[in-house]
Amino acid sequence: MEEPKTLQEAIQHYADFENCKAIMVELRWPDGKVKCPTCGSEKVTWLANARLWKCYGQHDRPKFSLKTGTVFEDSPLGLDKWLAGLWLLVNCKNGISSYEVGRDLGISQKSTWHLLHRLRFAIHKGSINKLSGQIEADETFIGGKARNMHATKRAEKITGTGGKDKTIVMGILERKGEVRASVIDTRKKKDVQKHVREHVLAGSAIFTDALKSYEGLDEFQHEVIDHAIAYVDGEIHTNGLENFWSLLKRGLKGTYISVEPFHLFRYVDEQVFRYNNRKVLDDYGRFRLALSQIVGKRLTWDHLTGKQPDDATYPN
């Protein structure tokens, strides 16, 4: 069948289990040879009625499904719901709330919240390759505005001015390339410069604002734009990252409304994925890329809620 191009086509297409099976087998085993996730053996048989494979290797987990060894593992939800949820997550520009997805898929908000966090975990992708060329670096604060809080909540949450009591997100953008963003502890020089050096190739041209923490990046061609004077001076600006921050905050404030600091990095990963693939891939392409990253990752409810901090399988 033709690849789905729209949400409506995707829902209809993946309502058929055979279509779910076809794309997941294609992405997980490109050579068409299904292998046991436990022992790697190709001596497996498809049990159509049970929708399982049986491995003839000598071990205690001979049966496995399409979900085994993926971020979908141990979920009672059908693949039709997982794939529809994935399509929505990677293609809704400003994100989509667990309440809305739950209504769309006919499952509880609690289950949907877990589903979406597992998908965010899957689409996170680290890289050892460094960015180069013209680079923008900037940081932003994420947190509620004091004027929008009740007096008692304001007294509890706000204990200082400026960025105090807010979470800091650091971003690095390669112009005409990708953005990388992550939560950092402070805006002090050691944290900011460590992040820059981890992600940017020495000798690159790097543009920042006038924050003192950027001083000392001598291995880079460092140019500064002082926002108290101007926002653009020829090629010296951080407007590319300002664009990314606007998209991130639009989703956090308009869609998710309230995000706990310890979950923020997953929402940042979600926006990074969409931003980096917004022009190079269409809706189906983003969906397919995300689906190719589900293998070897687990995020249980206990880990997500902090009950078992070591119960996740992290991507490289």
Side-chain angles (χ1 to χ4, degrees):
M1 295 181 66
E2 291 187 3
E3 301 165 349
K5 299 296 183 184
T6 66
L7 173 61
Q8 181 183 29
E9 291 177 0
I11 291 172
Q12 292 174 339
H13 186 72
Y14 296 117
D16 185 340
F17 175 79
E18 291 302 318
N19 292 334
C20 298
K21 178 186 174 186
I23 190 170
M24 291 188 67
V25 168
E26 177 189 352
L27 293 175
R28 188 170 185 179
W29 299 287
D31 59 1
K33 298 178 180 178
V34 177
K35 300 178 180 64
C36 173
T38 301
C39 68
S41 172
E42 294 180 6
K43 294 182 179 180
V44 298
T45 298
W46 173 247
L47 307 177
N49 290 337
R51 293 182 174 177
L52 297 170
W53 281 278
K54 181 178 180 180
C55 174
Y56 291 95
Q58 299 300 312
H59 54 80
D60 57 358
R61 298 187 66 187
K63 293 182 179 180
F64 62 95
S65 70
L66 287 165
K67 296 178 184 177
T68 305
T70 74
V71 78
F72 304 160
E73 188 166 352
D74 288 339
S75 170
L77 299 177
L79 289 174
D80 57 335
K81 297 188 186 299
W82 274 104
L83 299 191
L86 181 60
W87 186 286
L88 289 167
L89 182 74
V90 300
N91 291 317
C92 291
K93 183 177 180 180
N94 294 324
I96 187 165
S97 75
S98 56
Y99 282 95
E100 185 171 353
V101 176
R103 288 194 300 270
D104 292 342
L105 301 184
I107 57 180
S108 70
Q109 183 272 335
K110 184 177 177 180
S111 294
T112 309
W113 184 77
H114 189 199
L115 176 148
L116 291 174
H117 272 301
R118 289 163 84 168
L119 295 177
R120 292 184 187 104
F121 179 67
I123 62 179
H124 168 80
K125 188 176 182 180
S127 176
I128 61 173
N129 297 321
K130 293 190 174 184
L131 305 178
S132 61
Q134 293 186 323
I135 306 295
E136 298 176 24
D138 193 22
E139 66 294 324
T140 192
F141 294 105
I142 304 294
K145 293 182 178 179
R147 67 173 179 265
N148 295 334
M149 296 181 183
H150 188 275
T152 55
K153 184 62 69 174
R154 183 163 58 244
E156 174 189 339
K157 296 279 189 180
I158 307 297
T159 61
T161 59
K164 194 173 187 304
D165 303 309
K166 295 191 177 183
T167 306
I168 305 166
V169 179
M170 174 86 184
I172 297 176
L173 170 70
E174 180 184 292
R175 290 182 182 170
K176 298 182 180 180
E178 66 178 54
V179 68
R180 296 181 187 174
S182 57
V183 175
I184 60 174
D185 294 330
T186 72
R187 289 205 304 168
K188 293 181 178 179
K189 181 177 288 189
K190 64 180 181 66
D191 290 326
V192 169
Q193 295 197 8
K194 176 186 177 184
H195 193 75
V196 170
R197 292 188 172 103
E198 282 179 355
H199 293 281
V200 183
L201 190 67
S204 300
I206 186 166
F207 308 114
T208 71
D209 58 21
L211 183 69
K212 294 292 186 181
S213 298
Y214 291 110
E215 293 180 356
L217 294 170
D218 299 328
E219 66 269 41
F220 304 98
Q221 302 173 46
H222 184 201
E223 299 286 351
V224 174
I225 184 74
D226 188 344
H227 289 162
I229 300 172
Y231 281 90
V232 179
D233 182 7
E235 291 186 333
I236 307 172
H237 61 81
T238 58
N239 288 351
L241 269 175
E242 296 296 344
N243 175 42
F244 176 74
W245 296 143
S246 71
L247 290 171
L248 175 63
K249 292 184 178 183
R250 196 178 305 156
L252 293 176
K253 294 177 181 179
T255 301
Y256 298 120
I257 311 300
S258 178
V259 173
E260 293 293 342
F262 47 82
H263 289 308
L264 177 60
F265 71 99
R266 302 193 199 283
Y267 294 91
V268 173
D269 289 342
E270 172 193 340
Q271 188 61 56
V272 165
F273 179 89
R274 284 196 299 264
Y275 187 89
N276 287 339
N277 297 292
R278 70 195 189 285
K279 293 182 178 179
V280 294
L281 297 173
D282 60 8
D283 287 6
Y284 177 72
R286 282 187 292 274
F287 166 79
R288 186 180 173 89
L289 175 62
L291 191 59
S292 70
Q293 297 176 199
I294 65 170
V295 179
K297 300 175 184 178
R298 291 289 308 279
L299 181 62
T300 65
W301 176 263
D302 284 346
H303 173 79
L304 182 60
T305 54
K307 297 176 182 177
Q308 291 184 357
D310 297 321
D311 194 33
T313 301
Y314 291 91
N316 294 325

